[in-house]
Amino acid sequence: MADQQDELRALLNDSGEPTLERAIAKAREMVDRLDNVTLNIAVTGETGAGKSSFVNAIRGLQDTAEGAAPTGVTETTMEPTMYPHPTLPNVNLWDLPGIGSPTFKAQTYMNDVKYQNYDFFIIVSASRFKDTDIMLAKEIKKNKKNFYFVRTKTDFDVSREEKRGVTERATLQNIWKNCVDNLRTLGPPPVFLITSDNLERFDFPKLVKILERDLLEEKRNALVLSLPVYSKQFLEQKYSLFKKAAWAVAIAAGAIAAAPVPGLSLACDVAMVVSFLTKCYNSFGLNHRFLERLPQRVKKPILAMVRESELVMAIAEESSVATKVSARLGAARVMEALFRLVPSARNTATAGVSLANTLYMLLEGVKELYSVAKRVNEMAELMQSKANL
């Protein structure tokens, strides 16, 4: 009995609530936000600016992948087109037609694209920002939405100038100054230099930090979970977010499993646990879609390493099944893999997993997935460095 009281006090401390009832209500609210909060990102700019490639990059897709936004030197986006995130269906990237295209004029652009549907706007250019971009930014501001200027294809400029003896730092300073000068009527504009081919390079991490600052917490979390793992630091940030969310899932899952309702038992607890770990697996970039993006020279050894994790492989199998019966079997394999990580939890499984055991299993599961993702990124970096020698 004392142990149970200690467990309860520890979980209440994690929740910040004085009673179990309030902790359960808060946990359910947090889990609901984790599952259902929507985020709609509008990407716009002039024709040929690289909007579609940017949309694909932040969805973790190559331009040639199935479901990618079509790219081209001419305007390929003729109307606002929604591209759902591959693993988070409530996060949507909107590829908007270029302003000034035949069917979308600057004067009516905001109403034509239904500006109220989007959380913020990213205005993209592959060269200098022009009067139409400034006009659009002013309209966005007038409608109380945030906007951010993204200068794409920066790597091309850096490579070209290096051949002329200009350093990368000098080139970046010149590009940024030119962008800011063109936008000076807006005050200090938020300008970020990026390349869609390598999000870690240049200013993309700065852009993410600014977006996190400007978004509400639940939408901020949706952004962090949806973006690909482009750096070690960002993987750490995702890991921290999942660890903080684990207590809510443990309490919500435990409350369901303990509910005195016929038919609600450990199966409900399992479904929530598996769903949470699957989100983690996808967000850490361990799914097949992401791993297939790796260069061929590094893919084979990395896939071999990933297959060593029983939990990763169980989630991969559970995620790929098509029928309810197969899904239940897949979920059972995920739990079996968890029990191997946390053998003590197996002893209490038949009576219903306690809140503390559920939390411990979740944290150990998240830790295992994080460890595999960390090794994937370290191996990819090491092998890429060797290839560049």
Side-chain angles (χ1 to χ4, degrees):
M1 187 66 177
D3 289 343
Q4 291 178 346
Q5 290 299 321
D6 289 342
E7 289 179 4
L8 179 58
R9 278 194 291 270
L11 282 166
L12 289 178
N13 182 63
D14 288 336
S15 73
E17 297 294 339
T19 66
L20 181 58
E21 289 75 16
R22 290 180 62 173
I24 290 172
K26 183 177 180 179
R28 285 173 171 165
E29 182 181 347
M30 286 188 65
V31 171
D32 181 68
R33 286 204 304 264
L34 193 66
D35 290 340
N36 299 315
V37 167
T38 60
L39 181 65
N40 288 286
I41 304 170
V43 182
T44 185
E46 286 198 327
T47 300
K51 301 188 306 295
S52 298
S53 291
F54 182 72
V55 166
N56 293 333
I58 57 181
R59 293 166 68 222
L61 297 177
Q62 294 178 321
D63 288 342
T64 55
E66 181 181 353
T71 59
V73 294
T74 58
E75 180 61 57
T76 57
T77 307
M78 302 309 294
E79 60 183 23
T81 305
M82 183 183 76
Y83 292 96
H85 189 275
T87 61
L88 293 171
N90 293 319
V91 175
N92 302 306
L93 280 295
W94 290 83
D95 192 356
L96 303 188
I99 190 169
S101 61
T103 53
F104 286 85
K105 302 301 181 182
Q107 293 80 358
T108 60
Y109 187 85
M110 290 296 285
N111 286 329
D112 292 340
V113 300
K114 298 180 174 58
Y115 72 91
Q116 64 274 10
N117 293 338
Y118 314 115
D119 291 294
F120 59 86
F121 287 76
I122 292 177
I123 304 173
V124 174
S125 176
S127 55
R128 62 186 293 273
F129 290 97
K130 301 177 182 177
D131 290 343
T132 49
D133 299 310
I134 296 172
M135 188 185 309
L136 176 58
K138 288 180 177 178
E139 288 298 311
I140 295 171
K141 186 175 182 180
K142 186 187 301 182
N143 288 283
K144 296 180 171 55
K145 297 283 185 176
N146 287 337
F147 60 87
Y148 310 87
F149 289 101
V150 166
R151 170 53 157 81
T152 59
K153 305 181 182 180
T154 304
D155 52 331
F156 294 155
D157 297 276
V158 168
S159 297
R160 184 183 64 246
E161 293 304 307
E162 281 180 341
K163 293 175 182 177
R164 300 175 182 175
V166 182
T167 65
E168 177 176 307
R169 182 178 180 181
T171 299
L172 295 177
Q173 288 176 337
N174 289 334
I175 295 172
W176 187 85
K177 184 177 183 301
N178 288 337
C179 290
V180 171
D181 287 346
N182 292 335
L183 300 168
R184 61 184 177 276
T185 58
L186 294 172
V191 175
F192 305 90
L193 315 183
I194 72 139
T195 169
S196 295
D197 290 334
N198 183 355
L199 294 180
E200 186 177 8
R201 196 177 181 189
F202 309 130
D203 289 342
F204 185 76
K206 293 180 183 177
L207 171 61
V208 173
K209 289 294 182 186
I210 296 298
L211 292 175
E212 289 181 63
R213 181 198 68 188
D214 293 347
L215 288 168
L216 297 174
E217 182 181 5
E218 57 267 23
K219 290 185 180 285
R220 183 190 314 142
N221 290 344
L223 176 75
V224 172
L225 295 183
S226 67
L227 291 175
V229 177
Y230 58 83
S231 70
K232 293 178 182 177
Q233 293 76 14
F234 197 58
L235 176 61
E236 294 289 341
Q237 188 174 348
K238 286 174 177 269
Y239 181 38
S240 177
L241 193 156
F242 277 105
K243 286 193 294 182
K244 289 177 181 177
W247 74 265
V249 177
I251 289 179
I256 289 176
V261 178
L264 288 182
S265 62
L266 187 62
C268 294
D269 187 79
V270 166
M272 193 172 288
V273 168
V274 172
S275 175
F276 178 74
L277 291 176
T278 301
K279 282 185 179 65
C280 181
Y281 158 89
N282 285 321
S283 187
F284 285 175
L286 295 175
N287 59 63
H288 177 76
R289 185 191 293 265
F290 176 81
L291 295 176
E292 282 299 314
R293 294 182 68 236
L294 295 171
Q296 199 63 40
R297 61 180 172 274
V298 305
K299 187 187 304 182
K300 187 174 180 179
I302 286 178
L303 289 177
M305 183 273 294
V306 168
R307 293 189 185 105
E308 293 175 2
S309 170
E310 185 177 352
L311 180 60
V312 170
M313 297 312 296
I315 294 175
E317 184 176 349
E318 191 274 339
S319 301
S320 65
V321 298
T323 68
K324 290 184 178 180
V325 173
S326 297
R328 283 195 291 270
L329 291 174
R333 293 189 184 98
V334 174
M335 293 304 296
E336 180 64 27
L338 271 179
F339 288 147
R340 292 185 190 279
L341 285 175
V342 190
S344 60
R346 186 191 299 273
N347 299 329
T348 60
T350 56
V353 180
S354 72
L355 294 181
N357 272 327
T358 302
L359 177 58
Y360 186 50
M361 282 198 302
L362 285 168
L363 290 174
E364 287 300 302
V366 171
K367 181 180 178 181
E368 167 70 4
L369 297 173
Y370 160 75
S371 298
V372 176
K374 185 178 180 182
R375 292 200 300 274
V376 166
N377 283 273
E378 289 172 347
M379 286 181 67
E381 285 184 7
L382 177 62
M383 299 180 79
Q384 187 62 46
S385 296
K386 288 182 178 178
N388 292 334
L389 292 177

